[in-house]
């Protein structure tokens, strides 16, 4: 006979995190999805479910009971261990690997307790504690945060040394995500290179491991710590998609491991390559956050959830809800020939077309006349700015604009006063050559004196000048990661300490100067991730400012990150990088899909071009709430179509924008229908340029025809929802 006790039909109250004692399940529920962890009879935590929210508690599976395949394949190879530690019969990627002071390298983590905290707003938290059952006095706490409205969960872990001896952490991951077993999964990920970042790629996963990672000291343009997985059939607006991203700007790794028994495990966190951490008694190590989400509704919803999550919970609070201003950056106009005169004349032009923040780039300090010298000497170059920065800042402010400035604090040129004074402030191995890239070396931010030097010069720069915008650059990756003078067991910590110091410096500066907007740059989009976006307000996605190449870069970016954080400049034509000539309107349209900036040499723009710029910037100011804070729908991808189309709607669905770009055409080709998304079926809409009203269904199913001619033509179509006739 069925009884309520062993067959629970009821939903668990109204909580988004609950523990069901009968079934020994922690159920983490958001609006549409659930993530469920079970406790097995050996006190192991198992992930038993991640997917669509199910109606009844009893619908969720319970833990896998003891079973194995052979003496070679024990239970550990089958069950979805929530936080597997290396030891015993575990052979797959571990979340934790430790060497104890007596050289034992084996862990057996067992459950000891949990705590649920229902927080304000839409966030609930769960902490589950585990200890090493072999009594090595190591405690692991697993933290989960559920964002109810967004179908997003964050996880991270904390390892605490409760013993009397230090221990060495050799690998510590933020956590695992498991997908339903025995499916053919397709991985969508972002890869690239300098000036070709965030390129979207897809591959079917087969048995073994696919790893995306950085071993370069920072996030890198070569891969981005974001992923999406589907069963090979998801599209923009339908299909199961599991997705995730790591909040870490140092060496990172995400491993997709498909076992020969059909188990797909996604393990992510700090890269264990050349890493170790000396965990002293009574101290703890906290991992970066690994965010995950699930939707039944395709890549479009997955991206929009990530965008809303970043807008509400990731971007630094001081500016998250402010619209990003239109910036001018003089890099491509003057390169290292930056001086008071050239910048003043550019500033006047910039103000006249409607720019709101004027940013001077590299070259304003030390003996920085090229990339060969001066990096590290953060005093104003008196030949270029004889009276310092103040007169220029005053000019810029009097023109009604904020002033912004470029810095690259983590680096030094060997030809600099800083390096001559402190040749030991970089990463190096004594007696070995110090490899240069772009004529520069990486400062050792693990050192407290270096960290303080950087904080102090930044504090001085921001404290003495009315600066409202910082572009924080980083133009090379690490080599010879030595830290002479420090105990050998601590040296491999630099990979983590560098990033922690960077975060700390920016946090302290943000706290002291809340009005300053920070832009993350690493030779373009080499440091774009949820870790930097928690501290900096926006990113420079690429040094590639060709408006057509940008379509692919921006599309990839949009899969993982929100348009408000995606800065895009209109630069000169032909483009400096690839020589492609594009109309000014096309260049504007492409750059208006994120946070608009201007990067061309305005002194060379004709009267007509200046007039176009005035019109386009004023148009951008009208539409930027929709672009920066609305919903983004990818209609036609530049990867697969001759036409690229992207739609933005404001959160209320009243204003719709469609950006359309033609690559090239053959004479006689008929226009292609572009089908809109996310509209209200029976609501009426007015398409700019037409007197007819048309239903949401018609716009989505019949589509609109946008006339695009020749090569590289573009249009922005504005559509308004009619609230009452
Ligand atoms: C690389 C950046 O991505 C560019 O925009 C520019 O700031 C240069 N560095 C300056 O050196």
């Amino acid at each position: 006979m069925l009884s309520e006790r062993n067959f629970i039909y009821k939903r668990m109250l109204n909580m988004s995190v609950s523990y069901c004692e009968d079934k020994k399940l922690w159920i983490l529920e958001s609006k549409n999805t659930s993530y469920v962890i079970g406790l097995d009879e050996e006190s192991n935590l198992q992930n038993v479910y991640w997917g669509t929210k199910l109606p009844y508690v009893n619908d969720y599976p319970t833990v896998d009971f003891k079973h194995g395949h052979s003496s070679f394949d024990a239970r550990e190879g089958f069950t979805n261990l929530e936080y597997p530690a290396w030891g015993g019969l575990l052979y797959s990627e571990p979340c934790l690997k430790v060497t104890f002071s007596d050289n034992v390298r084996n862990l057996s983590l067992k459950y000891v307790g949990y705590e649920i905290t229902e927080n304000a707003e839409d966030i609930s938290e769960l902490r589950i504690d585990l200890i090493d059952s072999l009594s090595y006095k190591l405690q692991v706490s697993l933290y989960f945060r559920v964002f109810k409205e967004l179908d997003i969960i964050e996880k991270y872990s904390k390892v605490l040394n409760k013993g009397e001896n230090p221990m060495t952490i050799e690998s510590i991951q933020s956590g695992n995500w498991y997908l339903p077993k025995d499916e053919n999964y397709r991985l969508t990920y972002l890869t690239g290179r300098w000036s070709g970042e965030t390129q979207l790629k897809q591959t079917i996963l087969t048995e073994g491991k696919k790893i995306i990672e950085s071993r370069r000291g920072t996030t890198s343009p070569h891969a981005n710590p974001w992923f999406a997985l589907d069963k090979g059939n998801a599209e923009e607006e339908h299909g199961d998609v599991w997705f995730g991203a790591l909040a870490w700007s140092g060496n990172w790794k995400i491993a997709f491991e498909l076992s020969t028994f059909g188990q797909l495990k996604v393990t992510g966190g700090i890269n264990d390559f050349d890493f170790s951490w000396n965990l002293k008694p009574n101290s703890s190590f906290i991992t970066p956050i690994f965010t995950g989400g699930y939707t039944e509704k395709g890549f479009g919803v997955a991206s929009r959830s990530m965008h809303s999550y970043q807008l509400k919970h990731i971007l630094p609070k001081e500016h998250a809800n402010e619209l990003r201003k239109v910036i001018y950056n003089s890099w491509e106009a003057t390169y290292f020939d930056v001086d008071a005169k050239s910048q003043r004349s550019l500033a006047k032009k910039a103000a006249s077309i409607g720019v709101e923040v004027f940013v001077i780039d590299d070259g304003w300090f030390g003996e920085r006349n090229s990339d060969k010298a001066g990096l590290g000497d953060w005093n104003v170059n008196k030949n270029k700015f004889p009276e310092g920065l103040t007169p220029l800042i005053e000019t810029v402010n009097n023109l009604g604009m904020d002033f912004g400035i470029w810095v690259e604090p983590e680096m030094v040129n060997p030809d600099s006063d800083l390096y001559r004074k402190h040749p030991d402030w970089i990463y190096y191995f004594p007696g070995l050559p110090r490899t240069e890239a772009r004529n520069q070396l990486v400062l050792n931010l693990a050192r407290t004196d270096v960290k303080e030097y950087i904080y102090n010069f930044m504090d001085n720069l921001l404290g003495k000048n009315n600066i409202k915008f910082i572009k924080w650059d980083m133009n090379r990756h690490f080599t010879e990661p030595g830290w002479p003078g420090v105990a050998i067991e601590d040296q491999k910590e630099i990979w983590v300490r560098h990033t922690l110091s960077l975060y700390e410096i920016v946090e302290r500066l943000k706290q002291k100067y809340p009005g300053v907007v920070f832009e993350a740059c690493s030779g373009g989009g080499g440091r774009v991730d949820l870790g930097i976006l928690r501290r900096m307000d926006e990113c420079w996605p690429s040094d590639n400012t060709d408006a057509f190449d940008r379509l692919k870069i921006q599309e990839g970016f949009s899969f993982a990150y929100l348009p408000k954080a995606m800065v895009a400049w209109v630069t000169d034509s032909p483009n400096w990088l690839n020589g492609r000539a594009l109309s000014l309107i096309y260049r504007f349209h492409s750059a208006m899909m994120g946070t608009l900036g201007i990067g061309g040499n305005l002194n060379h723009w004709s009267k007509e071009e200046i007039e176009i710029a005035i019109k386009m910037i004023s148009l951008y100011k009208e539409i930027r709430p929709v672009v920066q804070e609305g919903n983004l729908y990818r209609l036609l991808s530049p990867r697969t179509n001759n036409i690229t189309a992207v739609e933005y709607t404001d959160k209320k669905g009243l204003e719709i924008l469609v950006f359309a770009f033609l690559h090239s055409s053959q004479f006689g080709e008929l226009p292609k229908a572009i089908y809109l998304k996310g509209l209200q079926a029976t609501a009426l809409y007015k398409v700019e340029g037409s007197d007819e009203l048309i239903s949401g269904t018609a716009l989505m199913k019949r589509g609109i025809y946008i006339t695009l001619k020749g090569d590289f033509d573009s249009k922005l179509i504005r559509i308004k929802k009619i609230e009452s006739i």
Side-chain angles (χ1 to χ4, degrees), residues 46 75 183 277 390 406 537 570 610 621 627 678 694:
Q46 297 182 15
R75 182 190 203 182
E183 299 283 354
W277 191 271
T390 310
W406 177 97
D537 309 278
V570 175
I610 292 286
K621 287 180 184 167
V627 172
I694 181 169

Side-chain angles (χ1 to χ4, degrees), residues 194 197 329 331-332 335-336 360-363 365 368 371 375 406-408 438 440 471-475 519 521-526 540-545 569 576:
W194 174 77
E197 298 85 343
N329 181 300
W331 173 242
E332 286 192 29
Y335 292 105
F336 293 102
I360 64 167
D361 210 280
D362 198 350
F365 51 89
R368 188 77 170 161
D371 61 17
L375 210 47
W406 177 97
V407 288
E408 191 177 359
R438 208 194 189 209
Q440 62 196 56
K471 175 176 172 185
W472 186 298
D473 205 347
M474 182 202 193
N475 281 299
E519 180 181 275
C521 171
S522 178
W540 177 232
S542 184
D543 276 356
N544 186 339
T545 51
W569 304 341
W576 72 280

Side-chain angles (χ1 to χ4, degrees), residues 8 96 119 133 163 180 275 321 355 382 386 516 600 636 661 663 700 718:
I8 305 163
L96 186 63
N119 272 346
S133 63
F275 162 84
N321 298 318
V355 165
K382 284 284 156 73
V516 179
L636 292 171
F661 303 85
H663 181 193
M700 293 189 288
R718 297 178 74 176

